[in-house]
Amino acid sequence: MQILAINGSPRIRGNTAILLDRILEGAESRGVKIEKINLSELKINFCKECDTVRIASLCNMKDDMRIIFKKIKQADVIIIGSPIFFGSLTGQLKTMIDRFQCFWLAKYIFKKNLFRDHKKRIGVFVSCSAAERKDFFSNAKAIIKNFFATISVEYKYEFFCGGIDKKGDILEHSDIIKKAFDLGKRIS
């Protein structure tokens, strides 16, 4: 089993990243191969929905998305992490998801599922928010669910933490940290 975690936070060591790391530690304790990508360290261009996508169903932009496309195809479990920004996902994560427009077109318009050869894969969404508003998590969750459906991943687990504001605040909640570790063990 191979787990890919994608940190959509601009903070590489922020609350979302800490939760992702604990989940990965839980999975790693069971001998699972893990990898984490920090989107803020990559060069990802905005989707231009260019005409070549309509012809070939593939993105031809040359940037770090090629790495992500490949790793997502290889992963058995995909964990997406994002803090809540303005009631939804971060710009970094939304930009990455938008670049899967070519896969959406392939699957839903051209009826070519580019992930069909994969066995059943599962998806996990992890999110922190300074606010306690459930509708913010619902907004973000809707986008993640659509993304997972596009790449043929079952949305199976979610881990939401409201009222977490300052960098590192999550570390003051040992019960949440333990639950994140246990989730990692459960998905592996």
Side-chain angles (χ1 to χ4, degrees), residues 10-180:
R11 293 181 182 169
I12 293 172
R13 290 177 187 82
N15 295 310
T16 300
I18 291 167
L19 285 179
L20 285 173
D21 287 343
R22 293 309 173 266
I23 292 169
L24 293 176
E25 287 170 12
E28 197 171 35
S29 75
R30 297 183 53 122
V32 174
K33 183 177 177 184
I34 62 166
E35 183 170 4
K36 183 173 134 190
I37 294 172
N38 292 306
L39 291 180
S40 64
E41 295 178 326
L42 301 179
K43 172 70 172 133
I44 300 174
N45 297 316
F46 298 112
C47 178
K48 296 180 181 174
E49 199 173 5
C50 51
D51 290 335
T52 57
V53 168
R54 294 198 175 273
I55 296 165
S57 300
L58 295 172
C59 181
N60 68 353
M61 275 199 258
K62 293 182 172 95
D63 62 6
D64 290 336
M65 275 304 296
R66 290 178 179 232
I67 297 165
I68 294 172
F69 290 143
K70 180 181 176 185
K71 291 187 182 298
I72 286 210
K73 281 188 172 186
Q74 295 169 342
D76 300 301
V77 176
I78 299 170
I79 306 170
I80 303 290
S82 176
I84 298 295
F85 277 28
F86 287 88
S88 192
L89 304 174
T90 63
Q92 290 87 340
L93 184 56
K94 186 62 170 76
T95 297
M96 183 207 82
I97 290 172
D98 285 350
R99 287 290 298 283
F100 280 84
Q101 179 69 8
C102 53
F103 292 95
W104 184 91
L105 286 168
K107 184 173 185 177
Y108 296 109
I109 303 300
F110 305 126
K111 308 302 182 201
K112 296 187 226 173
N113 188 348
L114 302 176
F115 293 96
R116 185 177 325 212
D117 295 336
H118 283 79
K119 60 186 175 206
K120 186 176 177 181
R121 303 182 313 151
I122 65 167
V124 181
F125 178 40
V126 178
S127 186
C128 293
S129 175
E132 295 279 358
R133 294 182 52 177
K134 292 184 190 294
D135 59 324
F136 286 177
F137 291 121
S138 296
N139 290 339
K141 177 180 173 176
I143 297 166
I144 296 297
K145 285 182 90 170
N146 286 330
F147 170 62
F148 282 160
T150 298
I151 61 171
S152 300
V153 168
E154 176 191 358
Y155 185 102
K156 190 155 183 177
Y157 300 105
E158 57 190 37
F159 197 94
F160 299 153
C161 300
I164 306 296
D165 188 19
K166 293 186 177 95
K167 185 177 180 178
D169 274 357
I170 198 73
L171 293 170
E172 296 176 21
H173 302 275
S174 58
D175 57 325
I176 294 173
I177 296 296
K178 183 182 179 332
K179 286 179 185 175

